[in-house]
Amino acid sequence: MSHMYPLQENAAIGTITEVHGPVVVISCSRIPPIKQALTANLGNELCLFEVHQHLDKQHIRAVTLHRASGLHRGMTVYDTGAPLHVPVCLECLGRVLNLLGEPLDGGSPLQTQTYRNIHAPPSSLSEATSSNEIMITGIKVIDLLCPFAKGGKTGLFGGAGVGKTVLVMEFMHAVASLYRGASVFAGVGERMREAHELWHEMKAAGVMEQSLMVFGQMDESPGVRFRVGLSALTYAEYLRDTSHQEVLLVMDNIFRFVQAGSEVSSLLGRMPATVGYQPTLITEVAELEDRISATRQGNMTSVQAVYVPADDMTDPAVNAILSHLDTKVILTRSQAGKGIYPAVDPLQSSSKMMDAYTLGSRHYTIAEGVREHLARYHELEDIIAMLGIEELSPKDKRIVQRARRLQRYLTQPMWVIAAHSGIPGVSVSLTETLDDCEAFLLGKYDEIPEQHCYMQGRMKSP
């Protein structure tokens, strides 16, 4: 399967005695450590395994990192002498790779002699840095109401069809254009169709040159889907430490990482815990999340798409991920149904950066004013639907009219879908967004028709 793990006759460690789908039991002459990579020869293909359990003094359980068809008892297994590792170099940008750093885009293999262990420990406390700096994205609703922390972690919660992928691609465009940084996209359990479309859309949008895509697809072994996030993270760490630039790590979808861990756990015979999840859920999520950090070498900012089962935010997997996040961006179908894109719910979304000390009093005051107007409009929507807006008090009527204009102002044409929408993308600076929102709150745009606020960049001076 990989040129990085050549077979060596003197490295033979044992033979396969049982095959249970993607999990094999291996009888060993000596026991390899947990997370060690093992290989076997399957015809013309080299198969990889990863050690997950020690059963006794002679037997281990390992998870296959390929299709299980063709595996049989008696196959000789070889020790690679190391955990899984990937080839790393700055030429990885612009490429599409698999879990092992092998090309999926039809290009030549990465030419490098440098490899990194995908199970590297997190940065030490002395190396890690924290920042109260906002990462400006140029997207009005994000920068105003749920700003990203530079070097922090953001969760993007949304179902299918609400614009999650478009928003992810827009973030990657922002990092490439505003910060001249690099983006690493981890496709965890992606469908082949989605991966192919995303690759071509990113090339068409001009984002691919400063991006790297690492895919573990939905039809692959749970072992691949479980480890592909770590592989992408290893590349992001390398780019952060080597090029000393802004690195954006995008994971779509981190919930599938949890699902793959649950599959592996069941196959290994572990007793399930709360709601059927693996007992090691919190540890596995922490092993991934704790490595996403800013260091003295550079910043790594992460955006993670999170699927919420049955829209239940109390789900154990969602809670395990939430506990690591700095910013929570909720995309809702109700917003998308109104034509509000990006479909961010301004009342449910939040950020740890939302305080006057971090943002400054002006930004904080304007953001809270916008949120108060939108919240009051949300409270009055039922009354307006039943009795009409004319039945409201003059004060409430004024708040509703301004809130509707603000709601439309917070929409924005995206660069990455300009070819489809026919509307050129725009990037709005935070200063311009604050100036416009302050003018809305002060009533300076009360006479402007609502449709003139929709899908605009910067408002023109009244």
Side-chain angles (χ1 to χ4, degrees), residues 141 143-147 346-357 359-377 399 403 406 410 430 433-434 437-438 441:
V141 66
D143 293 341
L144 177 69
L145 298 175
C146 42
L347 302 180
Q348 293 188 58
S349 303
S350 61
S351 170
K352 75 163 193 177
M353 308 288 282
M354 283 299 296
D355 65 72
Y357 175 77
L359 299 181
S361 58
R362 181 169 183 256
H363 183 168
Y364 181 75
T365 303
I366 293 171
E368 287 301 295
V370 169
R371 209 185 291 270
E372 284 170 15
H373 276 61
L374 294 172
R376 184 60 180 158
Y377 174 40
I399 287 173
L406 279 164
L410 292 176
L430 179 58
T433 302
L434 293 176
C437 289
E438 188 174 46
L441 295 174

Side-chain angles (χ1 to χ4, degrees), residues 210-402:
Q210 281 297 306
S211 302
L212 163 67
M213 304 180 80
V214 185
F215 283 111
Q217 293 165 41
M218 192 173 276
D219 65 333
E220 296 190 77
S221 156
V224 171
R225 288 179 275 122
F226 190 43
R227 294 306 189 203
V228 71
L230 294 177
S231 185
L233 176 54
T234 303
Y235 279 106
E237 287 174 330
Y238 173 78
L239 291 170
R240 177 196 65 193
D241 298 343
T242 307
S243 60
H244 309 298
Q245 60 184 352
E246 289 290 339
V247 177
L248 178 69
L249 173 64
V250 177
M251 297 191 70
D252 188 9
N253 187 307
I254 194 170
F255 184 78
R256 296 196 194 116
F257 159 76
V258 173
Q259 282 183 313
S262 182
E263 284 181 58
V264 168
S265 182
S266 299
L267 290 164
L268 294 174
R270 295 191 188 123
M271 185 73 72
T274 316
V275 200
Y277 286 110
Q278 60 270 41
T280 51
L281 169 68
I282 292 174
T283 307
E284 288 167 2
V285 171
E287 281 179 354
L288 178 71
E289 296 283 4
D290 284 352
R291 284 173 60 186
I292 303 171
S293 65
T295 69
R296 294 176 185 177
Q297 305 299 322
N299 280 324
M300 187 198 301
T301 305
S302 171
V303 177
Q304 303 164 19
V306 186
Y307 168 70
V308 183
D311 295 326
D312 180 13
M313 292 295 287
T314 64
D315 184 86
V318 174
N319 269 332
I321 297 164
L322 261 175
S323 64
H324 292 274
L325 300 178
D326 301 302
T327 303
K328 178 177 68 174
V329 179
I330 310 288
L331 301 179
T332 62
R333 205 165 299 282
S334 61
Q335 289 286 90
K338 296 172 187 172
I340 307 296
Y341 286 103
V344 176
D345 188 317
L347 302 180
Q348 293 188 58
S349 303
S350 61
S351 170
K352 75 163 193 177
M353 308 288 282
M354 283 299 296
D355 65 72
Y357 175 77
T358 304
L359 299 181
S361 58
R362 181 169 183 256
H363 183 168
Y364 181 75
T365 303
I366 293 171
E368 287 301 295
V370 169
R371 209 185 291 270
E372 284 170 15
H373 276 61
L374 294 172
R376 184 60 180 158
Y377 174 40
H378 181 67
E379 289 172 6
L380 295 170
E381 276 184 316
D382 288 342
I383 295 173
I384 294 169
M386 290 186 291
L387 303 176
I389 195 169
E390 297 304 322
E391 297 302 315
L392 298 179
S393 69
K395 181 183 177 183
D396 280 342
K397 196 184 299 183
R398 191 165 59 248
I399 287 173
V400 166
Q401 288 169 345
R402 289 176 184 172

